[in-house]
Amino acid sequence: MNRLLKVPLVARRAFGSSARQLRNKVPEAQKLFQEDNGLPVHIKGGTVDVVLYRATMVLTLGGACYSLYWLLYAAMPQRTA
């Protein structure tokens, strides 16, 4: 019974305003992305953004070519023996 009486106190401590405060990183990111360095916005984040962008382009182009291949394959008449 004693444990049940302590639940509101523990919950108040866990969700209270004295919890660990996180540092706001948004102004740093804004400076990075608003900087005029000639790079497109989708690669201003660094190497990870470049790799993600290129992987996305490869998958998109590969999927488009694969779809066109099967579309053309379906459009051709099948030979019957």
Side-chain angles (χ1 to χ4, degrees):
M1 183 68 179
N2 195 17
R3 284 187 179 179
L4 290 176
L5 293 174
K6 291 184 180 180
V7 169
L9 178 64
V10 172
R12 196 176 321 131
R13 285 184 188 163
F15 297 107
S17 62
S18 64
R20 180 175 56 118
Q21 297 294 320
L22 297 176
R23 192 169 63 94
N24 187 5
K25 299 180 196 173
V26 173
E28 295 170 9
Q30 284 177 336
K31 286 179 188 174
L32 173 72
F33 285 101
Q34 290 177 353
E35 187 176 293
D36 187 21
N37 55 6
L39 292 174
V41 71
H42 57 271
I43 59 174
K44 280 189 176 185
T47 306
V48 175
D49 281 351
V50 171
V51 169
L52 285 173
Y53 173 73
R54 289 186 180 163
T56 302
M57 287 298 109
V58 166
L59 289 171
T60 301
L61 291 174
C65 292
Y66 189 67
S67 297
L68 286 174
Y69 169 77
W70 282 107
L71 182 65
L72 291 172
Y73 179 79
M76 297 293 170
Q78 300 294 319
R79 295 182 195 165
T80 54

